[in-house]
Structure formats: structure tokens, C-alpha cells
Amino acid sequence: MSEAGKITGAKTVSDTEHAATEGRLAILAGGGQLPATLAKSDPDAFTVSFKGAPIDFETAYTASFEKLGRLFKRLHKEGVTRVVFAGGLARPALNPLRFDATMIRLAPRILAAMKGGDDALLRLVIEVFEAEGFAIVGAHDVEPTLLATLGVISGSEPDEQSLQDLARAGAILEALADVDVGQGCVVANGLCHGIETIQGTDEMLRFVARSDLERSGILLKRAKRGQELRVDMPVIGPQTLKMAHLAGLAGICVQAGKVMIVERDEVLRLSEDYGIFLFGEAGP
């Protein structure tokens, strides 16, 4: 997703900043702690979950992917003008027999986009919501303190080997950017031990754990080139630290300003407890 602050379609920087702060917000909740964090930031927000999508957060309304028209009507009824997508959502299994009129109209485009990478699908989702009159804002627009900062965030400075591994990991992710594979990889002593794919960061780190790295190597989490950051900004949280510990990593590097840290206090505590440094890098 294109980062907030750049021109997106016909929208200018000032349009984006205005949209992030004006009108009632709807939080479309997926898994993880991010939806609850945003709800605390904006108690007036209208919260929405989706049938069949497991979440850790109780919402005011449960929508169906197959009946988007019904969702749009409810959002308008609630006075919603802004929408934020928060938390992980798996690609839904859609039953065309249950589609409402809106989904029947959108189905050819949505089903075609689902055959591609995440970026293509998410850009279409943004287009659909914007066509219904909703401004799409990023979670980092709602709560800017979520963004990773530059330099050491927790723990020690990365040593020379970790910096070399970071450079190698950055080169790998940059090479994969055009094919829309993932947002993370693990490099230890110059060797790539794992690349994030559709299964996600946790599964990659479970695989890396088989390598027995014994507190070496780094995880790099970085936005893909041209990624639409309003709805798909990379996120780390306590679970990332736990999995990095299981994988035997020395550190986690995240792109400053383009990766969010949820439950920051717990992340910092785990970083200290596990002896895993957390470092914000500038990115390409």
C-alpha cells in the first residue's frame, strides 16, 4: 500500500492528513492486538469483524465478505466516513450462492485479484471502499506512536556481523519486491535461512528454528517497494519476539517509519528478557 503522505490517485498530502482526522472511524478488525489498540485511541470508532475470521477482540458488528453491500449500508448508517483495516485477515473462502447484489457486481474483479499477490487484492479493496465514499486511513494515522523509530529501540547495538546480515537481508527483500512475496527474511552469517511467504512470519521463524542458530542472525521486517501501507503495513509484536527467541536469533531489524510495533511495552520487556536487540533501519 502506498505510504501516507504521498499522492494516491487524485488525493494530495493534505487530503490524506485531513481524512486521517475527520469524521467517524470504522475499525475493520482482524487478528492480533492492533484492533484493540486502535479502539483505545478512538473510543467512538465503530468496530467490525468478519464471519469466519478469528479475532481477539469483541466488535459492535459482524459482517460477511459475501455481503459487502450490507456492510456498506451499516457503515453509512453509523455515520462512518473513515475506515481503517487492522490486524491479520486470511483470504476468505467465498460462496457465490451467498453473494448480495454488490458482491455479484464486484465478484469478477475480486476473484481475479485473489489469484494474484496481496498488493493487487488490497489495492482493489481500497478502490472498492473509496468508491463507496469512505476514506481509507492507516493504523499509523490513527495512532502514530505505533511506528518504529530509527536506531536502537531496545537492547545492544548490532555488531558488525549483524549489520552485514542486515545488508544481505535488505538485498534479498529488494530483489523479491517486484514479485510480491513477503515482508521479511532471516539471514545469519551471510546465509538466508528463511523468507516470509503467505504463511507469515511465525511459520518462517518456526522453520528457521530447525537451523539451531544459537543466538545469531537477524530477522528483517520491511515494507515492500511500492507497498500500500494504509492497509498492509508490516507489524511486529510480542509473538514476533517469542518466535525470534525460539529461532535463536540475535536481533530483529525493522524499517523505521514503515513498520508498526504493537504492545510496545511488552515487546521491549521481551527484548530485554531474551537478549534480542531491536533496531530500526532506514530501508532503501
Side-chain angles (χ1 to χ4, degrees):
M1 310 169 194
S2 68
E3 58 186 286
K6 292 186 177 179
I7 294 176
T8 307
K11 293 180 175 60
T12 64
V13 173
S14 60
D15 292 332
T16 302
E17 292 173 348
H18 181 76
T21 58
E22 295 297 323
R24 191 180 187 194
L25 178 71
I27 300 171
L28 273 55
Q33 293 301 310
L34 184 56
T37 299
L38 298 185
K40 289 180 182 178
S41 296
D42 189 344
D44 184 52
F46 182 64
T47 54
V48 178
S49 56
F50 289 89
K51 292 179 181 177
I55 63 170
D56 307 308
F57 179 68
E58 185 175 348
T59 60
Y61 179 70
T62 302
S64 168
F65 290 111
E66 294 151 335
K67 301 187 185 299
L68 285 182
R70 187 177 298 176
L71 170 60
F72 294 149
K73 288 179 182 178
R74 182 61 184 268
L75 293 178
H76 285 301
K77 180 180 178 181
E78 295 291 337
V80 168
T81 59
R82 301 177 298 142
V83 171
V84 60
F85 293 83
L89 278 174
R91 296 185 178 214
L94 299 175
N95 182 350
L97 297 177
R98 297 175 182 169
F99 287 178
D100 64 8
T102 298
M103 269 300 289
I104 290 172
R105 172 171 55 84
L106 295 171
R109 297 165 63 201
I110 290 177
L111 294 176
M114 288 180 70
K115 296 178 181 178
D118 286 345
D119 276 356
L121 178 59
L122 291 171
R123 288 180 190 278
L124 177 58
V125 169
I126 287 177
E127 183 182 329
V128 167
F129 273 80
E130 288 183 335
E132 290 292 329
F134 302 108
I136 304 299
V137 298
H140 56 292
D141 294 316
V142 179
E143 185 49 77
T145 61
L146 291 168
L147 290 172
T149 53
L150 191 63
V152 175
I153 300 170
S154 178
S156 60
E157 288 269 359
D159 61 17
E160 184 59 33
Q161 183 60 60
S162 293
L163 291 175
Q164 291 178 14
D165 288 343
L166 169 58
R168 173 67 172 155
I172 291 169
L173 291 182
E174 184 67 11
L176 292 172
D178 288 337
V179 291
D180 192 12
V181 172
Q183 304 167 336
C185 70
V186 171
V187 172
N189 299 311
L191 298 177
C192 181
H193 286 258
I195 295 171
E196 180 186 349
T197 57
I198 197 168
Q199 287 79 17
T201 306
D202 288 356
E203 289 303 315
M204 173 185 66
L205 292 175
R206 283 192 182 92
F207 174 79
V208 172
R210 302 176 192 172
S211 300
D212 193 21
L213 296 179
E214 295 184 356
R215 212 53 60 206
S216 64
I218 60 99
L219 161 66
L220 172 60
K221 194 80 170 174
R222 176 190 282 182
K224 289 173 285 188
R225 185 182 346 108
Q227 187 167 340
E228 184 34 287
L229 295 178
R230 287 176 294 170
V231 294
D232 194 25
M233 181 176 281
V235 177
I236 69 165
Q239 182 65 13
T240 315
L241 269 293
K242 293 173 184 176
M243 296 305 300
H245 176 64
L246 176 68
L249 299 184
I252 298 174
C253 300
V254 292
Q255 188 176 8
K258 294 186 179 180
V259 175
M260 293 184 291
I261 303 175
V262 297
E263 298 185 80
R264 184 181 291 258
D265 289 346
E266 180 66 4
V267 166
L268 298 182
R269 185 188 71 79
L270 290 173
S271 168
E272 295 292 340
D273 287 351
Y274 293 147
I276 296 175
F277 70 79
L278 186 57
F279 181 76
E281 56 108 31

